[in-house]
Amino acid sequence: MAKSGSMARTRDVVLPVGVWLLLCAVVAATLSWAQRSSRDDLEQRFDVRVSLGSQFVASYVQDLLARERKQATTFLAAKTVDDADFRRSVTTFGYPAAVLIDARGRALHVAPPNPSLIGTNLLLPQYTHLKSALRTGVPAVSAVVPSASGQLAVTAFAMPYDTPYGRRVFSGAVEVARSPLSAYLTKALTIPGNRVYLADGAGRVVAANRSVNGKNKALGTAEPAMAAALTEHPAGRVFDTYESGGRRWTFSSYPVSGTGWRLVATVPDDSLYGPLAGATTGGRVGLVSAAAVGLIAVLISARGSRSRRALRLSEQRFRTVFDHSLAGMALIDLAGGVKQANRAFGAMLGRPPDTLAGFPFAELVHPDDVPGTEAAMGETLAGATPGFTREQRYRHADGRVVHGATTVTLHRDLENTPVRFTVQVVDVTDRKRLEDEEAAARAQLAEHADELERINGNLTDARDRMADFVAMLSHDVRQPITGILGYTETLADDWEQLPDQRKQQYLRGIEAAGLRLNGLVEDILTVAQLDAGVLTPKVVPIALREALRDAVVTLPPDQALDVTISVPDGVRVRADPGHLQQIVTNLLGNAVKYGSPPFDLTARDLGGTVELAVCDHGEGVPADFVPYLFERFSRAETGVATTKRGTGLGLYIVRTLAEAGRIGLGYRPNRPTGACFLVRLAAAGTASATPTGATASGRGT
């Protein structure tokens, strides 16, 4: 009995103890799993915030460089850059210091102004970003360097661009600590006690959410333990812990794409895991208090609820940054579907952001830009690049096109496995519209400039023609007038004493001078009408033989007898009768003046056209003068032309009338001697049938 009672008591003790131990083990395991899971979730959210911060800084830098390129190619590409254009470009970005260098690295302009630097070679060791941008043609972002002009501690953005006069680099320097990046860093994390640094490749702090003391403002001075941990991971993403000041810290670091910078954020572990402190304490109390296992379970549940609320609050803070960002942001899964989108992204596309969840990202992009976007995302997913930046078009809900400066980054988890794409889009539609308007304005200005140049050319031609007229009038018109005045003065003074034969001679001289003057006036009036464009040809069918006869009868009778007309019967051409007569008359007059008889007018039918040849048998045209035959006021300086008077307008009138009536005109030497002028007229058919080879010819008729 005693033994049975002892066993029962033992059983009564062991069973509760076993149940208690089992409950404690289950609770301990559950608590440990919950803490580990919560810690992993907090660490991942902290890492995501740092990754998004790195992407934001990269987007800011790329946008600044794109605006630098636009400003430089628009205002700093001339052969000589005005000081005003350079100052305007610097002022546009608010740079405290800037420099413009040529293809040899010499300073063309600096700000603040420093005349001693102009022409100085700035490809110095402390300005490696200038050398890199100039030689590679790729934009470069410097480390923290002293400016070339003011010796300010700045970070420079060097933008190379090509001009007709060689490559140039426009580099603007900013104190990042006073830029929008500094304001962003102060709000990037909401975890108490956080420290955020933007550092260059040499470990100098570019910007931070707290003041950094020391002459060089080095990361190693501000956070020596963290800097030592970073040196073990010189490149890529870093997530690690360290101890400093008696506290344990967790830090995350991401390189900033397109720069030599790195974004580093660190938080005390007690702040990072603060939401879990209550749950941990409750679990420990439950394990040491076997008498209150039920209460401990309730406390664990309560503590777990509070932990979840804290996690939700942390998530809400992250969502607030995501949702209220001025830039459009979206998370894209690896299959190309939209997982989440913020309000800015939805507003940019005219769609509620909640309707974009599950929407194929490719359907939001303009069809012409989809292949390039998908190819770039494929390269990023394959590991060729960490992400990409491009300017592409999107489709608004109302059908219009939205231009966006897009930055896409592939996000990976702690095991470096691709998780999703992060997309940031800045709406640049207004900027594109302004660029298009500027291009249109430039085109219009160029068109006006061409029109002014054409008008100036016309004015110059008119001035030259007027000068030629004045020169001709002062010489050729003065001679017959002087002759007329001389003859009339002699006749008036000596009429009674002059013999009749001398009087007849003087009167014939007056008549000849008058006829010459009349011919000059007719030529001048004809040229004036041709230049004014008032002589419009009235093309009609003409019997060529009769038209040539009408032209021959205008010659003096003794000269007309030396003209032979050889034209097939019934040949008709299409031309203005008056213009054709003047062309033939001027060519005959030219032959009579500078050639020798006989003078031949010969026509032949070429099928569709009729070729008229006006030939003489004189010495012909000097070979070096042939190219100038039909120019205004042109006269040969050798041969018989130097012994004859003329204005040089006769053949010019022939050419202008021929061009107006679309009549062909040419010249060839006659054989064995002489000159032949060729006139090609459109055939108008024959009036009556004429045997092949039959011609009608006559002398002077």
Side-chain angles (χ1 to χ4, degrees):
M1 292 292 295
K3 186 175 182 180
S4 297
S6 176
M7 292 179 60
R9 286 192 297 271
T10 301
R11 185 172 59 249
D12 291 339
V13 172
V14 171
L15 184 59
V17 170
V19 173
W20 177 78
L21 290 175
L22 179 61
L23 290 175
C24 287
V26 171
V27 170
T30 301
L31 179 61
S32 177
W33 173 84
Q35 288 178 343
R36 182 66 263 172
S37 177
S38 298
R39 287 173 65 91
D40 290 344
D41 193 54
L42 288 172
E43 290 173 357
Q44 184 174 4
R45 295 180 187 280
F46 168 65
D47 189 55
V48 167
R49 294 190 187 103
V50 178
S51 173
L52 290 175
S54 170
Q55 296 168 22
F56 178 86
V57 174
S59 177
Y60 172 86
V61 171
Q62 293 302 320
D63 182 67
L64 181 61
L65 289 172
R67 291 189 290 117
E68 267 198 3
R69 177 181 291 279
K70 178 63 178 176
Q71 192 77 10
T73 56
T74 302
F75 299 103
L76 306 179
K79 182 176 183 180
T80 301
V81 178
D82 293 335
D83 288 337
D85 287 338
F86 178 75
R87 288 196 302 272
R88 176 171 56 190
S89 299
V90 174
T91 304
T92 297
F93 294 96
Y95 290 149
V99 65
L100 178 65
I101 65 174
D102 63 12
R104 297 172 63 184
R106 297 172 301 184
L108 301 178
H109 291 276
V110 295
N114 190 342
S116 65
L117 287 178
I118 303 302
T120 302
N121 190 327
L122 295 184
L123 301 183
L124 304 175
Q126 62 267 39
Y127 302 130
T128 57
H129 62 290
L130 295 178
K131 180 185 292 185
S132 173
L134 186 62
R135 293 185 177 178
T136 66
V138 177
V141 180
S142 79
V144 178
V145 297
S147 68
S149 57
Q151 295 302 310
L152 299 172
V154 296
T155 296
F157 299 84
M159 172 53 65
Y161 60 101
D162 293 325
T163 73
Y165 315 102
R167 177 172 293 167
R168 295 176 181 172
V169 175
F170 175 50
S171 178
V174 298
E175 294 182 87
V176 181
R178 300 183 182 179
S179 73
L181 285 179
S182 181
Y184 172 78
L185 294 181
T186 61
K187 301 177 182 178
L189 292 177
T190 57
I191 302 175
N194 72 85
R195 300 176 182 178
V196 184
Y197 302 94
L198 187 63
D200 64 16
R204 290 184 290 269
V205 176
V206 179
N209 67 344
R210 61 194 295 268
S211 61
V212 178
N213 298 323
K215 181 177 180 181
N216 295 325
K217 295 186 177 182
L219 188 61
T221 303
E223 301 286 345
M226 183 178 68
L230 275 174
T231 58
E232 299 177 4
H233 309 278
R237 166 188 170 276
V238 181
F239 188 91
D240 208 343
T241 61
Y242 66 94
E243 291 187 2
S244 176
R247 303 172 73 184
R248 190 171 182 82
W249 297 71
T250 296
F251 74 95
S252 177
S253 174
Y254 278 84
V256 178
S257 176
T259 71
W261 300 345
R262 175 179 289 277
L263 183 67
V264 186
T266 182
V267 294
D269 281 7
D270 51 1
S271 294
L272 178 62
Y273 306 120
L276 302 178
T280 302
T281 302
R284 290 175 179 175
V285 171
L287 289 176
V288 298
S289 182
V293 173
L295 179 60
I296 291 174
V298 173
L299 290 176
I300 291 176
S301 177
R303 298 296 184 181
S305 297
R306 286 196 294 271
S307 296
R308 288 190 294 273
R309 284 198 301 272
L311 290 174
R312 286 195 297 270
L313 179 59
S314 177
E315 174 67 18
Q316 183 179 2
R317 289 173 178 170
F318 171 72
R319 294 298 306 175
T320 298
V321 174
F322 181 83
D323 291 338
H324 293 84
S325 174
L326 296 180
M329 298 180 64
L331 301 179
I332 311 297
D333 60 31
L334 299 182
V338 178
K339 295 181 63 177
Q340 296 176 355
N342 68 352
R343 285 181 292 183
F345 190 72
M348 185 180 71
L349 301 182
R351 304 173 186 268
D354 54 350
T355 64
L356 292 173
F359 207 92
F361 181 66
E363 294 187 13
L364 301 175
V365 180
H366 191 278
D368 293 344
D369 293 342
V370 168
T373 302
E374 291 181 342
M377 294 178 75
E379 292 178 0
T380 302
L381 192 59
T385 60
F388 60 92
T389 298
R390 58 180 287 154
E391 191 168 294
Q392 63 186 23
R393 295 162 292 176
Y394 293 86
R395 297 193 297 180
H396 194 274
D398 61 9
R400 61 188 172 89
V401 174
V402 178
H403 294 266
T406 305
T407 299
V408 178
T409 304
L410 179 63
H411 179 68
R412 300 175 181 269
D413 60 16
L414 295 178
E415 285 72 32
N416 203 32
T417 301
V419 177
R420 59 180 175 267
F421 290 100
T422 301
V423 178
Q424 295 185 16
V425 183
V426 178
D427 190 346
V428 295
T429 303
D430 290 339
R431 190 194 75 190
K432 291 290 293 182
R433 177 180 55 80
L434 292 175
E435 290 175 353
D436 293 342
E437 291 177 355
E438 180 183 354
R442 289 182 178 274
Q444 187 176 12
L445 287 175
E447 183 178 347
H448 290 335
D450 292 341
E451 179 65 16
L452 288 175
E453 185 176 354
R454 185 187 64 79
I455 293 173
N456 288 336
N458 292 340
L459 291 175
T460 301
D461 291 342
R463 182 193 63 195
D464 294 342
R465 287 195 296 269
M466 180 59 69
D468 292 339
F469 270 122
V470 170
M472 186 271 293
L473 291 172
S474 64
H475 181 268
D476 292 321
V477 176
R478 184 179 295 167
Q479 287 183 344
I481 293 176
T482 301
I484 292 173
L485 292 176
Y487 285 135
T488 54
E489 184 178 352
T490 302
L491 290 172
D493 292 341
D494 302 325
W495 179 265
E496 297 297 336
Q497 290 78 23
L498 290 173
D500 291 341
Q501 183 179 2
R502 184 60 60 85
K503 292 177 182 178
Q504 291 293 331
Q505 178 184 354
Y506 288 173
L507 289 173
R508 283 193 297 272
I510 293 174
E511 179 184 19
L515 290 174
R516 172 166 171 72
L517 186 60
N518 182 67
L520 289 173
V521 172
E522 289 293 336
D523 285 348
I524 292 171
L525 291 176
T526 301
V527 171
Q529 289 177 310
L530 291 172
D531 288 344
V534 299
L535 287 180
T536 303
K538 298 179 181 179
V539 178
V540 296
I542 302 172
L544 181 58
R545 192 160 185 267
E546 285 70 14
L548 297 181
R549 285 178 176 175
D550 293 340
V552 171
V553 298
T554 62
L555 296 175
D558 57 333
Q559 296 175 351
L561 292 174
D562 295 324
V563 178
T564 299
I565 299 175
S566 180
V567 179
D569 285 340
V571 172
R572 296 168 65 81
V573 296
R574 294 185 56 81
D576 183 294
H579 290 185
L580 179 59
Q581 181 175 355
Q582 188 161 3
I583 289 173
V584 176
T585 300
N586 283 18
L587 292 177
L588 278 174
N590 186 78
V592 170
K593 179 183 292 187
Y594 301 109
S596 300
F599 307 109
D600 300 322
L601 297 177
T602 305
R604 58 176 180 153
D605 191 345
L606 301 179
T609 59
V610 175
E611 182 182 80
L612 172 64
V614 181
C615 303
D616 66 72
H617 294 77
E619 66 179 25
V621 178
D624 59 348
F625 184 67
V626 171
Y628 311 102
L629 263 176
F630 300 101
E631 292 185 3
R632 185 200 301 256
F633 302 118
S634 62
R635 288 174 55 80
E637 298 180 355
T638 60
V640 69
T642 59
T643 65
K644 304 289 185 177
R645 293 183 299 177
T647 62
L649 291 175
L651 293 182
Y652 169 75
I653 293 173
V654 169
R655 188 199 76 186
T656 309
L657 288 174
E659 290 175 350
R662 297 186 178 181
I663 297 172
L665 189 63
Y667 167 80
R668 65 172 172 80
N670 199 8
R671 295 291 182 266
T673 61
C676 281
F677 289 87
L678 307 177
V679 181
R680 297 180 185 87
L681 302 154
T686 56
S688 60
T690 302
T692 303
T695 60
S697 63
R699 180 170 294 278
T701 59

